[in-house]
Amino acid sequence: MITDILERASKGQATVDDAERLMGLQDKGDIEELFAEARRVRDREFGRSVFTYGFVYFSTYCKNNCNFCYYRRANGDIGRYRKSIEEIVQLAGALRDAGINLADLTMGEDPVMYANGYERLLETIRAVHEQVGIPIMASPGALPREMFPKVREAGADWYACYQETYNRPLFESLRIEQDYDARLGQKIWAMEAGLLAEDGMMIGLGENVRDRAETIVKMGTLGCQQIRAMTFVPQEGTPMQFTEPYGPMDELKAIATMRIMFPDRLIPCSLDVEGIAGLRTRLAAGANVITSIVPPNKNLAGVAQHELDIENGNRSVEHVFESIEAEGYKHASTADYVKFLNSRRGQ
Ligand code: SAM
Ligand code: MD0
Ligand code: SF4
């Protein structure tokens, strides 16, 4: 059965049913075959070279109240911070100098960044673009449509905004007080403005395997050049604190399914779920971008794992580069990454 599905996928003809079957596999041998095929497809498309993204979570203030998120506004006193533009430029400069391909400038929906027509957000992107010159992903939350040309003009290459699930009622129960269609629009409006877009799903939020299959097909057909899956990590002080956490297997199957169905997309291995321990399995499931690389001693947080492996240096550039090599891969040069971006932008 799996052979039939893989064959359909190789012709670009795999369906939602096929995605559901792949992610429903339970037999050890079948799962190994799924991962082996995902690696073959990844190696054919990208070789054994992976892109590396530094994570700069520059403001952890947020006006939203997503039930799954540590930084939701009701989770009051958690030691939030907001970095100055100068600090952000320094952080991005250090990532560039260390050989990282992209700075992921991420924030909560911080009213200070959003004030006066998103002035400080745009200034931050512009300062990093002009003073550092490293490729930029902006992950600032949901913006009005007219902002996307401005984000592009300020110097962002990518816009990341994850739908989490394409099951509308589930979305509404998680991203409370937020508009499903407006969040979907983010990706479309970003691409219309000449940005590359990333969409993403979370695993373990109450969705079933069918929902995941539908989400993967929707994310892929929307045209986003980067698509991701991340396992939900329950957060202290939130309504979902006591939700039973999932192991990594469902995320790995989702990564492999995305790779097989959408071979040419960038698919992250996020260090923000299991820390550095999660690198090997995600690469072996077909991922080709390492995200959430975070330098120590800079008072920077992750999202799903706000502390894990940061201050001990396990998510540092040096340690991540060593780990990539130990797994038999190499990290791509930024010149190669820029070439890749230009080819995907159709330049
Ligand atoms: N605030 C912006 C937004 O929501 O789009 C950008 C940053 S947000 C913190 C980035 C993503 O992190 C979310 O879209 C979600 O997919 C993921 N995330 C948040 N909390 C998580 C958790 N507890 N476990 C796993 N992933 C989580
Ligand atoms: C990551 N913690 O890559 C980051 C984050 C935001 N663009 C990405 C979820 O894992
Ligand atoms: Fe805010 Fe983003 Fe967290 Fe939602 S996921 S509470 S928008 S930081």
Side-chain angles (χ1 to χ4, degrees):
M1 176 192 86
I2 177 164
T3 328
D4 292 353
I5 302 176
L6 297 180
E7 180 151 350
R8 264 199 298 285
S10 71
K11 298 186 197 136
Q13 293 166 352
T15 61
V16 173
D17 287 341
D18 291 330
E20 184 180 358
R21 286 191 205 105
L22 290 177
M23 287 187 288
L25 291 174
Q26 294 301 335
D27 177 79
K28 239 179 131 203
D30 284 346
I31 295 172
E32 248 332 295
E33 206 179 316
L34 169 68
F35 293 158
E37 176 66 9
R39 285 194 294 277
R40 272 195 293 276
V41 172
R42 189 261 330 272
D43 292 356
R44 182 191 76 212
E45 297 286 325
F46 295 96
R48 285 260 161 167
S49 169
V50 296
F51 297 127
T52 53
Y53 292 4
F55 187 54
V56 182
Y57 197 3
F58 65 95
S59 170
T60 59
Y61 288 89
C62 190
K63 66 177 167 61
N64 278 342
N65 234 347
C66 303
N67 278 340
F68 49 80
C69 182
Y70 185 61
Y71 301 94
R72 67 198 300 271
R73 71 164 187 269
N75 207 14
D77 190 15
I78 52 168
R80 295 178 198 262
Y81 62 81
R82 179 184 297 117
K83 303 284 188 201
S84 69
I85 293 184
E86 202 175 47
E87 272 178 289
I88 299 166
V89 165
Q90 272 169 14
L91 289 163
L95 291 169
R96 177 204 58 198
D97 294 345
I100 291 292
N101 301 141
L102 172 140
D104 180 1
L105 303 181
T106 295
M107 60 182 222
E109 296 200 359
D110 177 358
V112 169
M113 296 289 164
Y114 276 27
N116 301 319
Y118 302 82
E119 192 178 9
R120 189 149 150 192
L121 167 64
L122 293 173
E123 259 179 54
T124 302
I125 296 170
R126 184 167 292 115
V128 172
H129 179 61
E130 287 175 1
Q131 296 175 46
V132 182
I134 188 174
I136 295 171
M137 172 179 276
S139 311
L143 304 179
R145 188 173 190 162
E146 64 271 18
M147 284 305 296
F148 289 90
K150 297 182 185 176
V151 169
R152 175 70 184 128
E153 183 271 330
D157 298 280
W158 288 90
Y159 191 82
C161 185
Y162 313 143
Q163 202 70 18
E164 325 295 4
T165 176
Y166 277 76
N167 174 328
R168 185 184 287 261
L170 182 60
F171 174 99
E172 284 165 357
S173 74
L174 297 164
R175 283 197 164 267
I176 48 178
E177 306 153 7
Q178 295 170 52
D179 188 301
Y180 179 93
D181 295 302
R183 200 164 171 91
L184 179 53
Q186 303 295 299
K187 279 77 77 172
I188 299 165
W189 303 334
M191 291 187 280
E192 281 171 2
L195 289 147
L196 295 164
E198 182 184 17
D199 199 356
M201 71 193 288
M202 268 164 79
I203 296 201
L205 294 171
E207 80 292 348
N208 58 33
V209 182
R210 181 77 187 175
D211 292 324
R212 278 180 220 151
E214 280 170 355
T215 296
I216 287 182
V217 169
K218 292 241 168 76
M219 293 195 301
T221 47
L222 198 58
C224 293
Q225 293 293 330
Q226 185 167 304
I227 50 179
R228 71 160 58 202
M230 268 175 84
T231 309
F232 165 59
V233 181
Q235 303 294 322
E236 211 182 327
T238 67
M240 296 177 75
Q241 172 171 7
F242 301 112
T243 303
E244 192 60 40
Y246 278 40
M249 187 47 92
D250 291 282
E251 178 183 327
L252 298 174
K253 288 182 196 164
I255 289 173
T257 302
M258 289 189 286
R259 171 60 67 213
I260 286 168
M261 291 184 75
F262 300 100
D264 63 344
R265 307 309 160 88
L266 299 187
I267 301 179
C269 149
S270 174
L271 303 180
D272 211 23
V273 177
E274 297 183 90
I276 195 72
L279 183 90
R280 164 178 296 171
T281 49
R282 285 164 181 75
L283 287 174
N288 73 321
V289 185
I290 316 295
T291 68
S292 247
I293 297 167
V294 185
N297 312 314
K298 301 287 181 198
N299 185 31
L300 282 171
V303 173
Q305 296 286 0
H306 47 97
E307 292 177 338
L308 178 70
D309 275 352
I310 297 180
E311 295 312 331
N312 65 8
N314 280 346
R315 278 156 78 171
S316 69
V317 179
E318 297 71 21
H319 190 70
V320 171
F321 280 4
E322 278 168 22
S323 309
I324 290 172
E325 275 179 25
E327 293 303 325
Y329 298 78
K330 69 181 188 59
H331 65 269
S333 71
T334 297
D336 283 348
Y337 183 63
V338 169
K339 243 186 254 162
F340 170 82
L341 291 183
N342 288 335
S343 73
R344 289 297 161 100
R345 278 195 287 251
Q347 283 175 5

